[in-house]
Amino acid sequence: MAEAHHVVVVGAGFGGLEAVHRLARAPVRITIVDRRNHHLFQPLLYQAATASLAPSEIAWPIRHLFRRRPDVATLLASVESIDKQAHELRLDDGSTVHYDTLVLATGARHAYFGHDDWEPFAPGLKTLEDATTIRGRILLAFEEAEREPDEQKRPALMTFVIVGAGPTGVELAGAIAELARATLPAEFRHINTHDARIVLIEAGPRVLPAFAEDLSAYAKDSLERLGVEVVLGQPVMECNADGVVFGGKPLAAATIIWAAGVQSSPVAHWLDAPADKAGRLKVEPDLTVPGHKEIFAIGDAAIVLRPDGRPVPGIAPAAKQEGAHVAGVIRARLRGSPAPPPFRYKHQGDLATIGKRRAIIDFGWIKLKGAIAWWLWGLAHIYFLIGVRNRLSVALNWLWIYARDQRGARLITWWGDEVEGTAPFPREERRRM
Ligand SMILES: Cc1cc2nc3c(=O)[nH]c(=O)nc-3n(C[C@H](O)[C@H](O)[C@H](O)COP(=O)(O)OP(=O)(O)OC[C@H]3O[C@@H](n4cnc5c(N)ncnc54)[C@H](O)[C@@H]3O)c2cc1C
């Protein structure tokens, strides 16, 4: 008997997982290839980076998610190249995987606009290792300030710079401010954690540019009420062991977090296919790779244009809708039915939180801000988490933080530093300051 059509999905992020879910009971066998053993709920990653949630609350082992799907196999491996003619993926151990249909959903990473040498000083936030590295640096900065006898050196240790005021930068800035002003004050004896400076630097004219101007202004005002210094219209010119340079002046800071710019994973390079400046592969309206109907690219790895020429945003709902569309095309092909109409993105709205009881929501037809938006933001995120245990655990943690301002996941570990591909921790450089 001939083997079932083999669909290989590379990347178990939002797009890849949705494609696999939507192919349930289709006449296919599926192999998921991911270089991590877990699916990560990136929208709450900033909470793992700021000690509100533990990494295990926002990530799930991929195998576990498909334990009741005998049609799905999972491989923990990194794809290194693709042979389009032979229909084969080459993995990091040199082995190959043959596919009949390939879905590339490998996402994106942060980009330093040609300054990759800044990464050791200003790690970005994309993986659990990034989150634990950032969490370690934030907490260690307070520890070092507590031990620092020289008062001249303390301000730099207690200065936290976040570069980029998109949702991640805004959420990080708000969370660090709450950590310093609400969670930590009673626990230190030699420093006043209220003195911490949290500086959010944005090259553009406003924070959260994807939102309407009034919501963006509300977010800026809320940040400033939390004690965050918001600097607009200033590109960062340099990140180094001493801090950052912007507006022609240096600012000494022990902790810098990079929340600006994304670069797609190298799918276009693997396929020698056209891409935009951010490396996103340009796909056809059915999300296939030009000239290769058997290969799809979705989510942050692809650029899909809307009828008005604007790109589909790089957010989780877009990746999920694309994953669902691809599953529909594969099903139609296997049935021998006409292809579904081209992919159409439906924007459901934008949400961002700034801190406790402060969030903004733009559904297009209604805009909300303040406490109501914050509760809705929380409910929406709990709803989209996978599994009852995680939903309960996150909800309980948030209630605890809400009531007591205590953040339980305040561990300093060096795990992030030991993982290949993550920023090394420049402890020696910092000691020199
Ligand atoms: C900090 C942060 C906060 C965010 N907040 C929000 C938010 O609030 N709301 C929202 O809608 N969106 C948010 N996003 C964006 C959203 O997470 C992405 O748009 C979404 O994850 C894209 O889904 P994807 O399937 O394309 O890729 P991803 O979800 O990134 O998944 C890619 C997968 O591919 C795997 N992979 C990569 N390269 C390889 C390889 N070579 N071999 C094997 N596997 C590989 C990765 O391990 C990963 O599992 C946020 C992103 C970040 C980083």
Side-chain angles (χ1 to χ4, degrees):
M1 211 175 86
E3 273 212 315
H5 186 94
H6 189 203
V7 179
V8 175
V9 177
V10 187
F14 287 101
L17 276 196
E18 190 67 16
V20 177
H21 282 309
R22 299 288 184 125
L23 283 169
R25 289 179 293 281
V28 293
R29 65 188 176 97
I30 301 171
T31 301
I32 300 174
V33 183
D34 201 299
R35 62 182 175 196
R36 315 265 162 192
N37 82 330
H38 52 264
H39 166 74
L40 176 62
F41 193 81
Q42 292 169 30
L44 291 181
L45 203 47
Y46 82 96
Q47 297 220 352
T50 51
S52 296
L53 295 175
S56 59
E57 289 173 309
I58 56 163
W60 303 265
I62 300 162
R63 281 181 193 291
H64 180 72
L65 295 177
F66 295 104
R67 65 197 181 282
R68 297 202 184 95
R69 288 274 304 272
D71 56 319
V72 179
T74 306
L75 290 184
L76 176 64
S78 186
V79 170
E80 302 232 305
S81 62
I82 298 170
D83 185 335
K84 296 181 283 191
Q85 266 59 50
H87 287 201
E88 272 180 1
L89 301 178
R90 183 166 293 277
L91 307 182
D92 45 355
D93 63 357
S95 65
T96 55
V97 176
H98 186 271
Y99 60 84
D100 296 311
T101 297
L102 176 63
V103 181
L104 295 169
T106 43
R109 240 191 111 69
H110 36 268
Y112 289 82
F113 309 121
H115 294 283
D116 289 352
D117 51 314
W118 293 354
E119 183 163 19
F121 312 108
L125 184 59
K126 180 69 186 174
T127 63
L128 283 181
E129 292 87 344
D130 295 335
T132 50
T133 296
I134 290 171
R135 183 182 70 184
R137 289 193 187 190
I138 294 170
L139 297 176
L140 193 81
F142 285 108
E143 295 296 338
E144 291 192 352
E146 174 84 346
R147 274 176 35 199
E148 178 56 63
D150 184 345
E151 283 192 12
Q152 305 295 318
K153 291 185 178 168
R154 275 194 206 148
L157 289 168
M158 289 177 63
T159 299
F160 302 83
V161 170
I162 299 106
V163 185
T168 301
V170 166
E171 288 168 350
L172 278 167
I176 298 171
E178 287 185 336
L179 189 67
R181 316 265 190 266
T183 304
L184 298 181
E187 300 183 7
F188 286 83
R189 299 291 168 262
H190 303 292
I191 55 169
N192 180 354
T193 62
H194 285 276
D195 294 341
R197 279 184 77 185
I198 296 103
V199 186
L200 178 64
I201 307 175
E202 165 60 43
R206 59 191 177 99
V207 305
L208 299 174
F211 287 81
E213 284 200 26
D214 57 333
L215 293 181
S216 166
Y218 170 82
K220 178 172 179 280
D221 181 60
S222 300
L223 284 166
E224 287 170 345
R225 281 168 192 262
L226 282 172
V228 175
E229 296 169 42
V230 181
V231 179
L232 298 175
Q234 296 284 359
V236 164
M237 311 305 290
E238 172 77 39
C239 296
N240 55 40
D242 299 326
V244 292
V245 177
F246 66 95
K249 289 194 195 125
L251 172 66
T255 310
I256 312 167
I257 307 171
W258 189 260
V262 286
Q263 181 70 32
S264 167
S265 53
V267 286
H269 173 71
W270 292 338
L271 294 168
D272 195 17
D276 72 351
K277 271 199 296 197
R280 295 176 296 182
L281 197 150
K282 293 182 181 168
V283 289
E284 302 285 4
D286 63 354
L287 308 181
T288 56
V289 172
H292 286 273
K293 287 285 171 202
E294 74 288 4
I295 309 179
F296 297 85
I298 59 173
D300 287 1
I303 173 148
V304 184
L305 295 180
R306 293 190 251 192
D308 63 4
R310 282 180 305 147
V312 169
I315 55 174
K320 288 174 87 167
Q321 289 177 29
E322 289 167 17
H325 182 84
V326 163
V329 175
I330 296 172
R331 279 178 179 280
R333 284 183 187 169
L334 293 170
R335 277 197 308 263
S337 325
F343 173 73
R344 282 274 178 281
Y345 169 65
K346 291 184 201 67
H347 192 63
Q348 290 148 347
D350 293 302
L351 293 79
T353 181
I354 302 116
K356 199 158 128 182
R357 288 191 292 273
R358 293 182 180 94
I360 54 176
I361 296 183
D362 188 349
F363 287 128
W365 54 278
I366 187 168
K367 293 185 179 67
L368 297 169
K369 59 189 181 202
I372 295 177
W374 185 75
W375 284 104
L376 279 177
W377 174 92
L379 287 175
H381 281 73
I382 286 176
Y383 174 78
F384 284 112
L385 287 168
I386 301 175
V388 178
R389 188 180 64 85
N390 283 51
R391 286 192 186 122
L392 285 175
S393 165
V394 169
L396 193 66
N397 255 316
W398 284 354
L399 282 176
W400 198 250
I401 293 168
Y402 185 80
R404 310 291 299 268
D405 281 317
Q406 284 177 17
R407 286 163 169 79
R410 290 193 351 244
L411 307 178
I412 300 173
T413 65
W414 304 119
W415 174 50
D417 298 331
E418 288 154 17
V419 174
E420 195 189 340
T422 59
F425 184 65
R427 265 166 283 190
E428 292 313 314
E429 282 91 336
R430 184 185 289 178
R431 294 248 154 77
R432 280 197 290 108
M433 288 185 4

